[in-house]
């Protein structure tokens, strides 16, 4: 299949460019690269390299201006990603389109980079697809490629698409001095064109929008019709969006969202929702904000297997049991809810960040049993004594803690927190800050509307690197530390004279 496609494609390419494809690779060369990568090339990839080992350095870029990489360059590019994988594999947000086809990672050593854009981005062959994907599918990935598309279900389809594009004349030739290259249609970068292409090429997963949307558009109330027409122009654009921000729209229902199956990020803050049943169809969701809605039932969320961040602040939710089945839930905000029992959160095995209000000792005890927590934001403490807070020492993986609107005698409860890197105190009174100065690994302290009665003890910290506070706090501490401190952020206003003092300090104490 690849051989026939390439024969046709080369005839078309020869009408545009001088020959630029390299001679074949040998079986031994392919085997060497496979062994080093510990990857078996799909048959069509192997067949392509047995016909041409990439293209010359001065070639126009077989893949619409992006070069077809020789095997040595494939291996070099792959090594760059492999070295970064252990630390950054899950960095940032990664979305698969369609959902469930590409593993939602930033880096995967089982993506074979057959092309690059010289800016840290690649076209690759995926030999480790997600549960609905196919080994050998052609994808995009890289530094700027948060959304990863299945460009083609197999390499032969991609090459056939290139041939069809030339036949139809859907390309443009570019000339820069002696360098000749080409682009797809009117795009300046093929990876940017993916957003508007019907994918996968030749076999698009397109929906029949006109039929499916016409009926529900007719049935919608005027409020929803106005939102869709004014903000998204038409139902097709609305359904295809990956992010929807519907804040303060006075929504009483979200029926149209049942069709938005590719949405990754949905913000529904400050509406009038009591029923979120349509969300059960939004299986692609990774981030969901339901803040300030009078809803109570989270059951529709229990099958959202990709959901990582959920905010239910200021709702009437009282039962968080449905959250247990959300296997990837990492970040949960649930201040000002009707939830009384937090013990269920111990079963959320991926939970790393929690924002909460604590109103009794039992709730505090339950929170300190969540061994996976790395970040804890406490926005209210009621009916808690100093000795009760010592239970926070059980959170062995805790790296960041916030206290807001609290009165604290001391922070001795953090003395055994070996992983703690950052403390944030907002609108809080702390009588004794001695424990802060004694923490061995603390890097950052932020005081926002907060007072520490013996502030001087903070300067005893030998590990602190960044301090954020008011001008008065900065001015008091600036000459007390033995190490250089980053004071580059001030909370609150400053007079002209205070700004002068601060700027002079920053100019003479560059960190």
């Amino acid at each position: 299949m690849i051989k026939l496609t390439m024969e046709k494609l080369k005839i078309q390419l020869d009408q545009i460019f001088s020959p630029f494809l390299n001679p074949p690779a040998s079986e031994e060369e392919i085997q060497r690269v496979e062994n080093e990568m510990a990857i078996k090339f799909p048959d069509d990839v192997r067949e392509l390299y047995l016909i041409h080992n990439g293209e010359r350095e001065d070639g126009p870029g077989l893949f619409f201006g992006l070069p077809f990489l020789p095997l040595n360059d494939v291996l070099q590019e792959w090594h760059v990603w492999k070295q970064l994988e252990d630390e950054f594999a899950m960095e940032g947000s990664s979305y698969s389109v369609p959902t469930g086809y590409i593993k939602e990672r930033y880096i995967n050593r089982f993506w074979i980079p057959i092309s690059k854009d010289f800016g840290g981005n690649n076209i690759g062959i995926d030999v480790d697809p997600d549960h609905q994907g196919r080994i050998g599918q052609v994808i995009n990935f890289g530094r700027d490629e948060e959304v990863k598309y299945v460009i083609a279900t197999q390499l032969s389809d991609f090459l056939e698409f290139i041939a069809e594009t030339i036949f139809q004349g859907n390309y443009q030739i570019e000339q820069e001095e002696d360098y000749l290259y080409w682009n797809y249609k009117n795009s300046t970068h093929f990876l940017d064109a993916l957003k508007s292409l019907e994918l996968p090429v030749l076999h698009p997963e397109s929906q029949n929008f006109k039929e499916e949307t016409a009926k529900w558009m007719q049935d919608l109330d005027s409020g929803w019709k106005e939102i869709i027409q004014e903000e998204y122009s038409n139902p097709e654009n609305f359904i295809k969006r990956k992010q929807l921000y519907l804040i303060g729209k006075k929504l009483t229902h979200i029926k149209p969202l049942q069709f938005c199956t590719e949405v990754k990020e949905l913000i529904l803050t400050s509406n009038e929702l009591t029923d979120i049943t349509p969300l059960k169809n939004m299986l692609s969701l990774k981030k969901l904000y339901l803040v300030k809605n009078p809803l109570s039932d989270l059951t529709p969320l229990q099958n959202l297997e990709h959901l990582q961040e959920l905010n239910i602040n200021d709702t009437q939710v009282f039962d968080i049991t449905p959250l247990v089945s959300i296997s990837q839930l990492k970040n949960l905000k649930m201040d000002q809810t009707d939830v009384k029992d937090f013990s269920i959160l111990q079963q959320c095995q991926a939970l790393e960040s929690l924002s909460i209000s604590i109103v009794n000792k039992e709730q505090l005890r339950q929170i300190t049993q969540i061994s996976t927590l790395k970040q804890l934001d406490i926005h209210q403490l009621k009916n808690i004594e100093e000795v009760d807070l010592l239970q926070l020492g059980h959170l062995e993986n805790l790296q960041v803690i916030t206290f807001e609107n609290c009165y604290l005698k001391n922070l001795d409860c953090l003395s055994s927190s070996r992983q703690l890197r950052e403390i944030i105190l907002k609108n809080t009174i702390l009588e004794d800050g001695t424990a802060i100065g004694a923490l061995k690994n603390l890097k950052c302290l932020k005081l926002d509307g907060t007072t520490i009665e013996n502030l001087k003890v903070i300067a005893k910290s030998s590990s602190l690197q960044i301090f954020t506070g008011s001008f008065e706090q900065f001015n008091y501490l600036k000459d007390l530390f033995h190490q250089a401190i980053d004071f580059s952020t001030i909370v609150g206003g400053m007079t002209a004279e205070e700004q002068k003092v601060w700027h002079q300090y920053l100019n003479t104490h560059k960190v």
Side-chain angles (χ1 to χ4, degrees):
M1 183 65 177
I2 288 285
K3 184 177 180 181
L4 293 175
T5 302
M6 283 303 298
E7 287 176 356
K8 178 173 68 173
L9 179 56
K10 281 195 291 183
I11 292 173
Q12 294 172 313
L13 289 170
D14 288 344
Q15 297 175 7
I16 308 172
F17 306 109
S18 300
F20 62 90
L21 294 170
N22 291 329
S26 66
E27 286 279 5
E28 291 75 19
E29 288 176 307
I30 295 173
Q31 185 66 55
R32 176 182 62 83
V33 174
E34 286 182 322
N35 290 343
E36 189 161 343
M37 296 170 68
I39 293 174
K40 178 177 173 55
F41 282 10
D43 290 343
D44 54 0
V45 177
R46 173 181 291 273
E47 186 178 352
L48 178 59
Y49 276 99
L50 287 172
I51 299 172
H52 294 289
N53 186 9
E55 66 179 85
R56 299 198 315 257
E57 285 189 9
D58 60 350
L62 175 62
F63 305 118
F64 300 110
L66 303 181
F68 171 30
L69 297 179
L71 286 171
N72 285 339
D73 291 357
V74 169
L75 197 56
Q76 183 178 9
E77 196 76 7
W78 177 83
H79 272 297
V80 170
W81 289 116
K82 180 177 179 291
Q83 291 170 2
L84 297 171
E85 184 178 32
D86 288 344
E87 186 173 356
F88 300 109
M90 307 307 294
E91 189 78 5
S93 299
S94 297
Y95 303 147
S96 165
V97 178
T99 298
Y101 281 69
I102 307 168
K103 289 186 176 176
E104 300 195 340
R105 299 162 59 98
Y106 175 50
I107 301 173
N108 189 336
R109 70 181 66 193
F110 297 106
W111 296 336
I112 306 170
I114 63 168
S115 184
K116 65 179 181 180
D117 71 349
F118 302 95
N121 304 297
N122 302 91
I123 294 174
I125 305 298
D126 184 2
V127 295
D128 182 32
D130 209 348
H131 60 285
Q132 294 190 57
R134 171 177 173 174
I135 292 176
Q137 61 192 6
V138 183
I139 67 170
N140 61 302
F141 67 94
R143 186 182 66 180
D144 305 314
E145 301 302 297
E146 182 179 75
V147 180
K148 295 172 177 61
Y149 298 91
V150 179
I151 300 172
T153 56
Q154 55 188 350
L155 182 56
S156 59
D157 284 355
F158 190 29
L159 296 173
E160 181 69 33
F161 174 73
I162 295 173
E164 286 190 7
T165 300
I166 297 175
F167 178 76
Q168 295 169 2
N170 291 329
Y171 64 90
Q172 58 182 358
I173 302 296
E174 303 285 351
Q175 178 86 44
E176 289 185 5
E177 297 180 352
D178 295 332
Y179 179 48
L180 190 69
Y181 63 99
W182 66 320
N183 288 320
Y184 176 76
K185 286 189 175 180
N186 296 317
S187 68
T188 57
H189 196 307
F190 178 64
L191 295 182
D192 292 336
L194 297 178
K195 300 179 181 67
S196 57
L197 274 174
E198 290 290 332
L199 298 175
V201 296
L202 304 190
H203 308 286
E205 295 281 338
S206 57
Q207 303 176 25
N208 190 343
F209 288 117
K210 291 184 178 179
E211 276 186 26
E212 293 185 8
T213 61
K215 184 178 184 303
W216 63 260
M217 272 296 287
Q218 291 176 359
D219 296 337
L220 287 181
D221 57 60
S222 59
W224 265 110
K225 285 182 179 178
E226 183 178 341
I227 290 171
I228 292 174
Q229 293 293 345
E230 291 190 0
E231 299 189 23
Y232 304 99
S233 300
N234 57 61
E236 292 88 344
N237 288 339
F238 175 70
I239 290 176
K240 290 180 180 180
R241 290 294 293 264
K242 301 298 182 292
Q243 293 90 19
L244 288 176
Y245 305 124
L246 301 166
I247 304 169
K249 301 296 184 182
K250 299 182 180 179
L251 300 176
T252 58
H253 72 89
I254 51 173
K255 293 177 183 178
L257 296 184
Q258 64 185 301
F259 299 100
C260 301
T261 56
E262 290 292 341
V263 172
K264 309 292 184 178
E265 183 175 327
L266 176 62
I267 311 297
L268 291 168
T269 298
S270 298
N271 284 294
E272 300 168 11
L273 302 174
T274 57
D275 181 10
I276 55 172
T277 299
L279 297 186
K280 68 181 181 181
N281 292 333
M282 302 182 71
L283 299 180
S284 300
L285 273 179
K286 283 193 165 187
K287 180 178 181 179
L288 174 61
Y289 277 38
L290 297 169
V291 183
K292 294 184 179 179
N293 279 282
L295 62 93
S296 59
D297 184 13
L298 296 180
T299 303
L301 307 184
Q302 60 189 2
N303 294 319
L304 302 184
E305 60 177 336
H306 296 291
L307 190 63
Q308 296 181 8
E309 181 175 348
L310 175 64
N311 190 330
I312 55 172
N313 285 352
D314 201 3
T315 63
Q316 296 176 16
V317 171
F318 60 89
D319 180 13
I320 53 175
T321 304
L323 303 185
V324 174
S325 60
I326 306 177
S327 60
Q328 295 193 40
L329 185 63
K330 294 182 179 180
N331 186 328
L332 174 62
K333 294 180 172 64
M334 47 180 287
D335 305 330
Q336 300 181 59
T337 65
D338 292 333
V339 179
K340 300 295 189 294
D341 183 4
F342 299 158
S343 61
I344 198 72
L345 294 176
Q346 298 172 37
Q347 300 179 46
C348 297
Q349 298 183 0
L351 191 62
E352 294 181 356
S353 177
L354 178 64
S355 179
I356 201 80
S357 296
I358 298 175
V359 298
N360 60 54
K361 297 178 182 181
E362 180 58 19
Q363 287 182 341
L364 177 63
R365 187 195 68 79
Q366 291 167 351
I367 293 302
T368 60
Q369 300 303 307
I370 308 173
S371 59
T372 54
L373 277 187
K374 295 182 179 179
Q375 179 168 341
L376 176 61
D377 297 348
I378 300 175
H379 291 267
Q380 185 182 47
L381 272 176
K382 285 186 177 181
N383 307 310
I384 301 297
E385 298 178 5
E386 179 184 347
V387 66
D388 301 322
L389 287 175
L390 293 174
Q391 297 177 85
L392 291 174
H394 296 156
L395 297 173
E396 296 181 355
N397 295 307
L398 193 65
Q399 297 178 11
V400 181
I401 190 165
T402 297
F403 289 96
E404 184 171 1
N405 300 318
C406 296
Y407 176 84
L408 303 168
K409 289 187 177 181
N410 56 58
L411 284 178
D412 293 351
C413 56
L414 304 178
S415 297
S416 60
S417 300
R418 305 302 178 194
Q419 301 297 321
L420 195 63
R421 300 290 186 271
E422 182 174 359
I423 295 175
I424 303 169
L425 303 177
K426 296 182 179 180
N427 300 319
T428 288
I429 296 175
L430 175 61
E431 286 188 12
D432 182 4
T434 301
I436 296 177
L439 287 168
K440 299 299 183 182
N441 296 304
L442 187 68
K443 303 299 181 186
C444 180
L445 174 63
K446 180 176 181 179
L447 307 181
D448 185 351
T450 290
T451 60
I452 299 178
E453 293 188 10
N454 55 343
L455 185 61
K456 185 177 182 178
V457 298
I458 304 302
K460 293 184 178 181
S461 172
S462 59
S463 61
L464 196 68
Q465 298 174 356
I466 302 172
F467 177 87
T468 300
S470 66
F471 173 82
E472 290 77 9
Q473 291 167 333
F474 148 75
N475 199 37
Y476 180 75
L477 290 172
K478 60 183 175 61
D479 298 319
L480 299 182
F481 286 93
H482 294 291
Q483 73 273 20
I485 299 292
D486 180 351
F487 287 107
S488 60
T489 304
I490 296 293
V491 175
M494 289 185 283
T495 66
E497 184 61 32
E498 289 172 341
Q499 287 188 16
K500 182 178 179 180
V501 171
W502 178 56
H503 283 298
Q504 286 179 342
Y505 181 88
L506 295 182
N507 289 334
T508 56
H509 296 78
K510 294 183 179 180
V511 179

